[in-house]
Amino acid sequence: MAPDALDLTDDQRFSLMKLRRNIADVRQPHHDDHYLLRWLRARDFDADAAEKMLRDSLQWRQRWDADNILSWEPPEVLKKYYPSGISGFDKDGAPVVVVPFAGLDIWGMLHSVSKSDFIRNTIKYIETFSGIARKQAAVHGQVASQVTVVFDMDNFNLRQYAWRPAGEVVIALIQMYEANYPEILKICYIINAPKVFAIAFSVVKNFLKEYTLSKIQIIKNDPVKWKAAILSTIPADQLPAYYGGTLTDPDGDPKCPSKINQGGKIPKSYYYKNSEKLAENENYTSAVIKKGDKLKLPFVVAQDGSFLKWGFRTENHDIKFGIICTNEEGIESEAIPIRKVNSHLSEEMGVITCSAPATYTIIFDNSYSYLRSKKISYSVGVVPPVETKEEALTEE
């Protein structure tokens, strides 16, 4: 769509033209002006800042293979117990996502799947919802290009999120969403919010942009109020009867579990029995780090902008972890400071962008332990940088 067809000031129109020109080397078919405006609004129409945000997101998409994630098959436990689903479409044609959040057994989940698979599954859901919104926008216009969300916090248990790995993964997901999916949220109803939810939200909102916060309506445990609010946006025949609509499953279930996965307590039969199971499922390498010893894994990085990815889990005990960068002049610096991590409770994973030429040495440090050797399962690798269209043409 041409800039003139959008309701923009002259300065905003100029920023849009500048961004369109600057990202021509990586622009994809669905990167129309409406798409680019999302990144501009997220950066107050600073074209340079929006370009950096978009390019960083494209690198993130490559690291997680987000463009092909719909073909990824998640582990069975995620299919059965990840609470979310689409019930229908709102009055403008935008998809309606319902999340029975209390159905997320985060403790059981992070003891049954790797943290990376949990995040990957969330990306798959967001990509699915975004794809449906794009198709709806082609039919109903831009009013259908975003997602309407209902978060049901009934029976929310704050204690689960006092566990550090659980809190960390939630914050990581929020940061991932804000950095890579600007303005896909149309409105979010948080219903049945208990008093303790205010404590959790006071932490979470520090990681949300003002735009996102402006789209959130928190309605306490007052069914009359929240049903009226939801039905003002969503037709009754597009909403489960449990939430004030008319939809039910064929067996009469008002929560429509055939459309919306309800989650639930994860059976311990899904829990990791030991680190060998992780190694088997994730193609990890296993090693024993003797008491008082270290395991060092050097990786030579030749291309600037390459990514160093890692994931690991220890059996029964913690470990110290860090990454040292040694440049071509032999000068060392801490890429990731060495610190103790509770990798026996949940998988530790991460990724950094590398400078080149340099050697990045991953260190698993058990030198502080004089009594125990530590068994570890790990997966580490270097991924080449994103190749732009311009670079590809130059190589040809």
Side-chain angles (χ1 to χ4, degrees), residues 1-55:
M1 180 177 288
D4 293 340
L6 301 168
D7 185 17
L8 303 173
T9 66
D10 288 343
D11 287 345
Q12 291 171 342
R13 189 176 293 110
F14 176 78
S15 293
L16 175 59
M17 294 172 65
K18 181 179 180 180
L19 179 60
R20 193 193 307 119
R21 181 181 66 247
N22 288 355
I23 57 99
D25 60 312
V26 292
R27 194 172 176 190
Q28 299 174 20
H30 67 279
H31 293 175
D32 59 13
D33 286 351
H34 289 291
Y35 177 86
L36 298 183
L37 281 169
R38 292 182 175 180
W39 303 86
L40 284 167
R41 292 192 183 101
R43 289 296 180 263
D44 297 321
F45 278 88
D46 182 329
D48 292 332
E51 178 188 355
K52 183 181 184 307
M53 182 184 182
L54 178 53
R55 288 185 181 276

Side-chain angles (χ1 to χ4, degrees), residues 358-376:
T359 298
Y360 284 77
T361 302
I362 286 183
I363 299 174
F364 296 109
D365 184 355
N366 195 34
S367 61
Y368 64 97
S369 179
Y370 296 100
L371 300 175
R372 297 186 182 92
S373 296
K374 306 286 177 67
K375 189 163 189 177
I376 186 169

Side-chain angles (χ1 to χ4, degrees), residues 40-334:
L40 284 167
R41 292 192 183 101
R43 289 296 180 263
D44 297 321
F45 278 88
D46 182 329
D48 292 332
E51 178 188 355
K52 183 181 184 307
M53 182 184 182
L54 178 53
R55 288 185 181 276
D56 287 347
S57 181
L58 291 174
Q59 290 185 338
W60 170 86
R61 294 185 68 84
Q62 185 194 44
R63 293 198 297 266
W64 287 94
D65 197 22
D67 291 335
N68 301 307
I69 207 160
L70 296 184
S71 61
W72 172 70
E73 282 295 318
E76 180 181 280
V77 66
L78 284 168
K79 291 181 180 180
K80 286 187 173 182
Y81 293 97
Y82 189 97
S84 188
I86 290 181
S87 69
F89 302 93
D90 71 11
K91 293 179 179 179
D92 293 321
V96 174
V97 175
V98 178
V99 182
F101 190 78
L104 175 59
D105 176 9
I106 190 70
W107 172 274
M109 194 65 79
L110 294 181
H111 281 79
S112 304
V113 298
S114 66
K115 191 185 298 183
S116 58
D117 271 356
F118 183 76
I119 292 174
R120 189 174 289 112
N121 194 62
T122 304
I123 297 171
K124 181 171 182 173
Y125 268 86
I126 297 175
E127 289 291 318
T128 299
F129 302 152
S130 299
I132 293 172
R134 281 197 297 271
K135 290 179 181 177
Q136 289 296 105
V139 177
H140 301 282
Q142 288 303 306
V143 290
S145 66
Q146 295 171 300
V147 178
T148 294
V149 180
V150 177
F151 263 96
D152 183 4
M153 305 303 296
D154 193 26
N155 294 318
F156 172 71
N157 182 0
L158 183 61
R159 288 175 59 192
Q160 282 204 82
Y161 298 91
W163 180 45
R164 188 178 66 84
E168 286 180 347
V169 77
V170 170
I171 297 303
L173 290 174
I174 293 170
Q175 292 175 321
M176 175 195 78
Y177 165 80
E178 289 287 7
N180 300 288
Y181 297 99
E183 298 202 348
I184 68 166
L185 181 65
K186 183 178 181 182
I187 190 167
C188 177
Y189 298 103
I190 298 179
I191 65 173
N192 290 323
K195 289 182 179 179
V196 293
F197 176 72
I199 299 172
F201 194 71
S202 66
V203 176
V204 166
K205 69 180 182 181
N206 293 320
F207 298 92
L208 295 171
K209 305 297 183 186
E210 283 301 320
Y211 172 85
T212 304
L213 287 170
S214 71
K215 297 294 183 180
I216 296 174
Q217 293 187 23
I218 301 176
I219 309 171
K220 295 180 181 178
N221 196 2
D222 186 339
V224 174
K225 286 187 178 180
W226 58 251
K227 285 181 180 180
I230 292 173
L231 289 170
S232 69
T233 304
I234 306 167
D237 64 355
Q238 300 294 304
L239 192 66
Y242 182 80
Y243 298 108
T246 60
L247 286 177
T248 61
D249 267 3
D251 63 359
D253 193 320
K255 291 187 177 181
C256 298
S258 65
K259 288 176 172 286
I260 300 158
N261 195 332
Q262 299 297 304
K265 187 74 173 175
I266 296 174
K268 290 189 177 180
S269 59
Y270 283 106
Y271 284 22
Y272 287 130
K273 297 297 186 298
N274 49 43
S275 56
E276 280 91 346
K277 185 171 181 182
L278 181 70
E280 178 185 330
N281 291 346
E282 297 285 330
N283 295 318
Y284 279 26
T285 299
S286 293
V288 174
I289 306 173
K290 293 181 179 180
K291 55 188 178 182
D293 203 357
K294 298 178 182 180
L295 173 63
K296 296 183 179 181
L297 305 172
F299 290 84
V300 177
V301 178
Q303 289 181 275
D304 205 45
S306 295
F307 309 115
L308 178 61
K309 302 173 65 174
W310 66 89
F312 64 92
R313 188 181 182 99
T314 48
E315 184 177 318
N316 299 326
H317 303 287
D318 55 27
I319 196 77
K320 283 187 176 180
F321 166 79
I323 303 176
I324 301 297
C325 173
T326 307
N327 66 17
E328 59 184 336
E329 296 172 352
I331 299 174
E332 292 187 352
S333 61
E334 287 187 328

